[in-house]
Amino acid sequence: MVHYISNCRLSGDPRRIVHLAIENGKIRAIVSRLPENARILRDAGKRLVAPGLIDTHVHGAGGANPTDGKESSLKTMAQTLCRLGTTAFTATSFYYPDSDNGHLEMMGRYRNSPGDAELLGMHLEGPFINLLKKGGISINCLANPEEKTLSDLLLKTHGKLSVMTIAPELPGNEHVIRRCTGNGIVASFGHSDAGYAEARRGFEQGMSLVTHLNNAMRKYDRGGDPPYPAILESDTYVQMITDGVHLSRETV
């Protein structure tokens, strides 16, 4: 049976009023006119309708975070994000070199539930980042880029690791970047003290994302050696925290 969400404005064409035909929980058609005797599921009141958002860097939602190791916390995150319009996410957490990292095992085993935001994978900020630019990350979440640590990390994430933030200037991270990209994991530039040449090498080695641009990295300054020219030349994707605090509106 077909029902309709009526009087919508689509995000790509906000001047036009349309109606969404819904069947078995799926959008089956977008129509300009409602059929006679249409069953109205909801009148959108000319509100904007957009695809669900995808958040690739979220540490928590609804008062819950995945680092506590509780599956119920991840469930709360998924429900809260979906209610707020984010329909898929990459849970962001940390690796603790001196811990059993049970929270990563939990996320690796987690199964998505219908009606919740979909967990696409994990984003680890570290542990192979620069102490000088660790920002709010605990020193207990840092480690030297060693094969033993990397192998343990990959094992405990059960193939669910999607993104890893890495400082390319650290000795040994060239191997980490190549191992990540070879396993389908996005290597992201961040929490780094790299200058132009070191950042450029990182992108040439396979980095394809930037973690929170302009935060936890060298600032752009006259006479300095910031990574921004390398970022612009790489034509990579960037994350930006557009809250007016981490970056000003003018910078965004």
Side-chain angles (χ1 to χ4, degrees), residues 126-130 143-146 149-150 164-167 170 173 176:
F128 310 124
I129 57 175
N130 196 315
N144 293 323
E146 297 175 349
T149 304
L150 178 60
M164 185 190 293
T165 296
I166 302 167
L170 297 183
N173 266 343
V176 173

Side-chain angles (χ1 to χ4, degrees), residues 4-7 40-47:
Y4 289 86
I5 299 178
S6 62
N7 298 314
I40 305 300
L41 186 66
R42 180 169 182 175
D43 187 331
K46 299 183 180 180
R47 290 181 176 87

